Amino acid sequence: AAENSYCSHRSGSAYGPPGTVSNAEIAGEIILALTLLISLTVPTDMAAIYIREYDWSMSKHRGSAIWSGPVPTGKGSMKFGLGGPEVPYNLTARVEEEKGTNPEQLIAAAHAGCFSMALTSDLEDAGIDGNSVTIKTEATATLEGKADGFWITEIHLVCRGTVPGMSESDFKTYAENAKKTCPVSKLYASATITLDAALI
């Protein structure tokens, strides 16, 4: 078995288990598609009204995985969402940095994506036109072996944003708030989450 006890996995920025897709899940996908269509076909301010009036109090997202064989030599695949992509993974990809795909990379991608959207939402709430905002985030998730098993001990976010008319200090303030409040940050509260944010 591999002996690496500490490694990081990066990403810039769910599959359903086999079986019947419920009507509620199909309806959720249709609603999201309609929301996107609205954003593309009506003025930005009206699209914002549609989105903000929709009840986002709860949504469910699926993922599935298959693993075959012993952990050191076996292999598996992970699938995301309704008809989403399927990616392979194995032990080597988890303990050797950046070789292949692994769950930690997906965690990093999820955090980067969630944080970027949360920051943009905060900026829009402050009256900034979302069409003028670009947020690019890279996340690095650290997997570390401890006495009681492996832990994701740290997630480091590097965020670069374009926000016309905003000062560097204000941008950092909004970014720090998004780091604390985005759902993925809350999920991984047991890890140390650090942030490097700056305007470009």
Side-chain angles (χ1 to χ4, degrees), residues 137-148:
T137 306
E138 180 180 278
T140 302
T142 299
L143 181 67
E144 184 175 356
K146 294 179 174 289
D148 58 347

Side-chain angles (χ1 to χ4, degrees), residues 29-198:
E29 294 294 328
I30 292 173
I31 289 171
L32 290 177
L34 288 174
T35 301
L36 175 60
L37 180 61
I38 289 168
S39 69
L40 296 174
T41 57
V42 301
T44 302
D45 55 345
M46 292 185 66
I49 292 173
Y50 276 103
I51 292 171
R52 293 184 184 281
E53 286 187 350
Y54 179 73
D55 180 10
W56 294 101
S57 60
M58 179 180 292
S59 60
K60 296 182 180 181
H61 308 278
R62 303 186 301 155
S64 66
I66 297 176
W67 180 267
S68 299
V71 170
T73 58
K75 59 183 179 181
S77 64
M78 297 174 286
K79 187 179 179 183
F80 312 91
L82 296 174
E86 186 168 350
V87 295
Y89 74 109
N90 54 43
L91 178 64
T92 302
R94 300 194 74 177
V95 298
E96 295 183 11
E97 296 182 24
E98 302 308 316
K99 184 176 182 180
T101 304
N102 59 62
E104 289 70 39
Q105 290 173 345
L106 303 177
I107 288 169
H111 204 168
C114 185
F115 168 84
S116 296
M117 289 185 70
L119 176 52
T120 301
S121 179
D122 287 349
L123 294 172
E124 289 184 300
D125 286 343
I128 296 170
D129 181 4
N131 289 310
S132 67
V133 174
T134 300
I135 304 296
K136 181 179 180 180
T137 306
E138 180 180 278
T140 302
T142 299
L143 181 67
E144 184 175 356
K146 294 179 174 289
D148 58 347
F150 282 88
W151 288 75
I152 294 174
T153 55
E154 181 179 352
I155 300 178
H156 181 58
L157 302 171
V158 177
C159 172
R160 296 295 179 262
T162 300
V163 187
M166 175 162 283
S167 69
E168 186 85 10
S169 61
D170 285 346
F171 180 73
K172 288 179 181 291
T173 297
Y174 281 107
E176 282 291 339
N177 183 69
K179 184 195 77 171
K180 296 175 183 177
T181 59
C182 95
V184 175
S185 288
K186 294 175 182 177
L187 178 63
Y188 294 108
S190 62
T192 299
I193 301 173
T194 56
L195 172 66
D196 173 7

